[in-house]
Amino acid sequence: MTSADLDPKAAASEGTVPEAPRRHFIQEIIDEHNRSGRFGGRVHTRFPPEPNGYLHIGHAKSICLNFGLAEEYGGKCNLRFDDTNPVKEEQEYIDSIITDVRWMGFQWAGIYYASDYFEQIYQWSVQLIKAGKAYVDHLTADEIREHRGTLTKPGKDSPYRNRTVEENHDLFERMKAGEFKEGECVLRAKIDMASPNINLRDPVLYRILHATHHRTGDKWCIYPMYDWAHGQSDSIEGITHSICTLEFEDHKPLYNWFIESLGIYQPVQIEFARLNLNHTVLSKRKLIRLVQEKHVRGWDDPRMPTLSGLRRRGYTAEAIRNFVEMVGIAKSNSIAEMAMLEYCVRQDLNKRAARVMAVVKPLKVVLTNYPEGQTEMLNAVNNPEDPAAGSREVPFSKVLYIEQDDFMENPPSKFYRLSPGREVRLRYGYFIKCEEVVKDAAGNVVELRCTYDASTKGGEAPDGRKVKATIHWVSAAQALDAEVRLYNHLFTKPFPGDDEGSDFVNDISPASLEVVTGCKVEPSLANAQAGTGYQFERLGYFAVDPDTQGSTLVFNRTVTLRDDWAKQQKSK
Ligand code: ATP
Ligand code: MG
C-alpha cells in the first residue's frame, strides 16, 4: 500500500465531481471589499517578521496566507522587517528570513523595514503632541503598570498627563537628542485611562534605548513601540489587509485610533488563529533558549520546528505548504498534530524521493555457494510512484550486509524475516537461506552463512515456493560508509512545560537524537548532494546533511514510513 492510498481526500475525490475549494473567512472579507470597492479592487498584504530569531512553521502559516492571498487576487505582498527593537535584532536573522521566505516559494513585491519609517513616525509623534494627544511621562515602568489598572479596575492618570503641548514637545525633542537616560521618560498617547480596553489606557509610543540599531546605527536613541510603528508602516506601504494573529484583536481599536488621529490612509486589520503544534514549541523566545543553552546544535538543528531545521531534516517547502493548507484558516485557536505534519512530508517524498537500499545497523552475510570474486548488477526501480524516475543498477556479490533487525536466532511466531533454516527474498535479488550463525567470544551474532538459490533471480522461484519476507541489503565490497542521525520528538510531552511551575526545557527528550555510525549504503549514493531526500527502502525518508564530508555520508532521518496519522484518521 502506498501512502497515497491512505489519503482520505484523494480517495474521496476519485470518481466524484471535485468539490469547489472551501473559501475561508479572510477570502470572504476580501471578496466583500472587492464588491464594495473598499480598496478599489486592490489586494496588498505583508508578512512582517521581527528579525529577532529564525522563522518557524507557525510563520509558514502567515507566509502562505499573506503571499497566497496576493497571488490568488493578483495583488502584492511585501516582506517587511518589523525592526523597532535594536536590542534583540540582528542582520543574521534578516538574512535567514529572506532565505526562508524564498525557499517557501514566494516572491515579495519589495523588502521594507520599519526602521526606514523612523523619521516619518517621529514626525507623526510631534503631530500627535501638537494635537494634545500625546505626552511625555516620567513615571517609571513599574509605576506605569500600577497606574494602568486591571480588567476590573480603571487606570489612574499620571501626574504628568496634563502637561502643555509646548512642554511635551520640548521634552520629546530632548528625549530624541539623548538628554535622558533609558527609563527616565517615555512618550505616551493620551487616550482614556478608564477604557475597558487596557490597550487604550495611554499606551507608550516611544521609549529611550541607547543602543546601536543594526540598520540605523546610532542615529536614534528613541524607538517606537510595536503598536505605534506597525499600523503606520502598513499605512505608508498602502497595505489593504493587515493580517495578524488573534492576540492582536484587542489592539485593533488602538490600530484604528492611531490612523484616524493622524488622518492617514487606513488599512483593515484582520485576525486569524495562530498555528499551534504539539510535541514542540513555537515561540521565538523559547526557541532562542534552546539554541543559547545548547539543547540543540543551532537554529537549523533538524529537531527544531524552524523552517531551516525542517529543511535540513529533509522537509520540502511543498510538504509544509500542504500542511498549512490542511490546517486551514480559522478564527478560533486549535492545536495541530505533529503526526499530520509528518504525514504531509511522507506524502510529498513518496512522490519525489528516489528509493535506495541502506543498512543502518549492518549484519554481515556470506553466501557460501556464490562464486568468489563475482559481481553482478541487478536492476532496481528508482521510484514506483514515478515511472519517469527510471531504474539503476545495484551490485550484488558474495558478501552482503543486511539489517541486524531482520535476523532473529530464536524468532517469535510473528517474525517472518531471516532466522536459522529460514528462507527470505533479497530485494531485487535472490532467495537466500540461513544455514549457520557465527558468533564472537561474547556470544554476539557477527555473521550469517547463507546459501542463495540461483534460479530465483528477480525474486520468484520457478518451483512456485513462497517466502514470507523481502529484506533489503547492500553488497559489502561496493558499499559506502555513512552516519545516520535518527530523530524523535524533541519533547516527551505533547505540551512541553504544561505542568504548573515546570520549565519546558525539562521536557526535552533524551531520545530526540540517536547518532548511528558504521552504516552501509548502496554505491549509487556516491555523489548525493546535501539536501537531497531519499527513501531508504523499508526504513523511512532520509536527507543528506551538509555535514557530509569526504567519504562518509551523513543522513538525517526526515520521517519513518509508519503512518500513525493516517491510521488514526481511518479508525475515527
Ligand atoms: P513568536 O511568538 O514566535 O515570537 P511573533 O509573533 O513574535 O512570534 P513575528 O516575527 O512578529 O513573531 O511574526 C511575524 C508574523 O508571523 C506575524 O504576523 C505573526 O502574527 C505571524 N506568526 C507568528 N507566529 C505564528 C503562528 N504560530 N501561527 C501563525 N502566524 C504566526
Ligand atoms: Mg510579533
Side-chain angles (χ1 to χ4, degrees):
M1 189 185 306
T2 66
S3 44
D5 294 330
L6 297 169
D7 181 0
K9 279 192 187 155
S13 67
E14 257 173 34
T16 58
V17 181
E19 270 177 56
R22 265 216 333 266
R23 316 262 307 149
H24 57 68
F25 77 98
I26 300 181
Q27 290 167 323
E28 282 168 0
I29 291 173
I30 297 177
D31 290 343
E32 180 51 36
H33 287 156
N34 284 347
R35 273 192 295 274
S36 71
R38 170 80 171 77
F39 295 106
R42 274 190 324 121
V43 173
H44 197 157
T45 56
R46 84 286 172 267
F47 171 63
E50 182 179 354
N52 61 350
Y54 280 57
L55 296 182
H56 54 64
I57 185 147
H59 293 114
K61 181 172 181 181
S62 177
I63 291 171
C64 291
L65 179 58
N66 282 294
F67 284 94
L69 287 169
E71 274 178 11
E72 178 186 342
Y73 288 93
K76 290 180 181 173
C77 181
N78 293 353
L79 172 56
R80 175 183 335 130
F81 291 100
D82 232 325
D83 55 348
T84 53
N85 184 354
V87 183
K88 290 189 174 164
E89 296 159 4
E90 288 173 28
Q91 187 61 39
E92 178 195 345
Y93 298 139
I94 293 181
D95 296 341
S96 76
I97 289 167
I98 290 175
T99 302
D100 288 348
V101 174
R102 192 177 284 136
W103 177 71
M104 282 299 299
F106 295 108
Q107 186 54 55
W108 43 83
I111 295 187
Y112 299 88
Y113 296 86
S115 56
D116 285 346
Y117 311 139
F118 282 173
E119 179 64 32
Q120 174 68 74
I121 293 170
Y122 154 74
Q123 281 172 16
W124 278 332
S125 310
V126 174
Q127 185 183 328
L128 275 196
I129 291 170
K130 288 189 172 162
K133 291 181 175 176
Y135 61 99
V136 173
D137 197 352
H138 285 278
L139 293 183
T140 64
D142 283 342
E143 287 166 338
I144 289 180
R145 209 170 301 123
E146 270 166 46
H147 277 70
R148 188 155 284 151
T150 63
L151 283 173
T152 51
K153 205 175 85 194
K156 281 198 311 249
D157 285 3
S158 161
Y160 305 98
R161 196 172 195 263
N162 292 316
R163 286 179 147 147
T164 63
V165 166
E166 290 68 33
E167 196 183 357
N168 280 317
H169 190 191
D170 174 62
L171 284 166
F172 186 54
E173 292 303 330
R174 287 168 57 196
M175 275 173 70
K176 177 174 175 261
E179 286 186 31
F180 298 105
K181 290 198 283 291
E182 286 185 15
E184 242 185 285
C185 50
V186 293
L187 183 71
R188 293 177 75 176
K190 192 170 175 178
I191 309 180
D192 178 4
M193 287 308 289
S195 171
N197 183 335
I198 294 181
N199 292 296
L200 295 178
R201 294 183 190 170
D202 293 8
V204 174
L205 304 182
Y206 266 98
R207 75 269 208 225
I208 296 168
L209 289 170
H210 291 285
T212 303
H213 187 278
H214 57 102
R215 294 189 80 244
T216 57
D218 294 321
K219 172 154 190 234
W220 299 91
C221 63
I222 52 170
Y223 290 93
M225 300 300 286
Y226 172 87
D227 282 323
W228 180 229
H230 196 87
Q232 284 51 261
S233 303
D234 285 342
S235 179
I236 291 169
E237 291 173 21
I239 299 302
T240 53
H241 302 88
S242 176
I243 300 169
C244 58
T245 45
L246 286 178
E247 317 86 87
F248 290 97
E249 202 163 10
D250 288 346
H251 295 234
K252 190 170 172 157
L254 182 57
Y255 184 104
N256 291 334
W257 187 89
F258 285 147
I259 287 192
E260 285 158 13
S261 299
L262 295 172
I264 57 177
Y265 163 80
Q266 187 161 20
V268 169
Q269 176 182 307
I270 305 170
E271 311 85 20
F272 72 105
R274 63 193 292 118
L275 175 75
N276 297 300
L277 189 60
N278 67 10
H279 285 290
T280 191
V281 290
L282 290 187
S283 121
K284 279 185 274 185
R285 188 174 51 81
K286 291 181 178 169
L287 296 174
I288 283 173
R289 270 193 67 196
L290 292 175
V291 174
Q292 286 178 347
E293 296 173 14
K294 301 203 185 320
H295 299 292
V296 295
R297 294 180 178 185
W299 283 102
D300 68 345
D301 186 300
R303 290 167 293 178
M304 291 282 272
T306 52
L307 297 181
S308 50
L310 289 165
R311 178 164 65 238
R312 186 166 180 178
R313 173 93 168 238
Y315 273 74
T316 57
E318 185 167 19
I320 295 173
R321 289 198 304 266
N322 290 344
F323 169 71
V324 165
E325 181 83 12
M326 265 171 104
V327 170
I329 301 299
K331 193 89 201 175
S332 61
N333 279 310
S334 63
I335 295 156
E337 287 183 52
M338 185 66 88
M340 186 164 117
L341 177 61
E342 293 174 349
Y343 166 84
C344 290
V345 74
R346 216 178 265 121
Q347 286 272 91
D348 188 51
L349 292 175
N350 182 44
K351 286 182 282 174
R352 63 171 91 224
R355 275 58 171 167
V356 292
M357 291 198 285
V359 173
V360 173
K361 294 177 183 168
L363 173 59
K364 188 175 171 187
V365 167
V366 177
L367 302 178
T368 51
N369 60 339
Y370 193 86
E372 191 84 47
Q374 174 176 307
T375 304
E376 61 187 299
M377 301 306 286
L378 302 175
N379 195 258
V381 176
N382 284 335
N383 187 349
E385 300 292 317
D386 177 14
S391 65
R392 68 192 185 285
E393 306 267 275
V394 254
F396 184 86
S397 63
K398 188 179 179 76
V399 183
L400 312 170
Y401 293 113
I402 64 164
E403 209 66 62
Q404 283 170 18
D405 285 349
D406 283 335
F407 172 79
M408 278 187 100
E409 194 173 12
N410 301 301
S413 60
K414 287 271 166 66
F415 187 88
Y416 299 119
R417 290 165 275 165
L418 204 57
S419 57
R422 174 142 348 126
E423 198 172 40
V424 296
R425 179 189 293 109
L426 292 181
R427 183 92 163 125
Y428 306 114
Y430 299 92
F431 288 9
I432 63 165
K433 187 173 177 185
C434 177
E435 310 282 358
E436 189 189 340
V437 179
V438 182
K439 296 182 183 174
D440 63 11
N444 302 309
V445 176
V446 290
E447 181 182 316
L448 302 178
R449 299 183 71 78
C450 301
T451 49
Y452 89 111
D453 178 347
S455 75
T456 58
K457 183 165 182 172
E460 298 300 328
D463 63 7
R465 77 182 189 280
K466 300 285 178 216
V467 288
K468 282 199 168 147
T470 302
I471 65 173
H472 62 274
W473 52 275
V474 294
S475 171
Q478 296 84 7
L480 306 174
D481 293 315
E483 172 183 319
V484 170
R485 299 175 181 170
L486 303 174
Y487 300 103
N488 294 301
H489 290 325
L490 181 52
F491 296 96
T492 49
K493 292 196 183 143
F495 307 107
D498 216 22
D499 288 350
E500 190 90 28
S502 136
D503 187 354
F504 76 99
V505 297
N506 295 331
D507 296 329
I508 291 177
S509 165
S512 66
L513 168 64
E514 183 192 347
V515 177
V516 188
T517 55
C519 313
K520 300 287 182 181
V521 302
E522 64 168 70
S524 73
L525 286 166
N527 297 312
Q529 296 298 305
T532 311
Y534 294 91
Q535 186 193 98
F536 287 0
E537 292 209 33
R538 301 178 60 235
L539 297 178
Y541 293 99
F542 292 76
V544 182
D545 190 85
D547 281 350
T548 294
Q549 267 171 6
S551 62
T552 299
L553 292 152
V554 179
F555 289 94
N556 295 311
R557 182 172 69 195
T558 312
V559 69
T560 61
L561 294 177
R562 208 182 70 208
D563 195 337
D564 296 328
W565 190 76
K567 221 179 288 164
Q568 225 179 36
Q569 301 309 301
K570 281 207 151 178
S571 64
K572 263 183 193 165

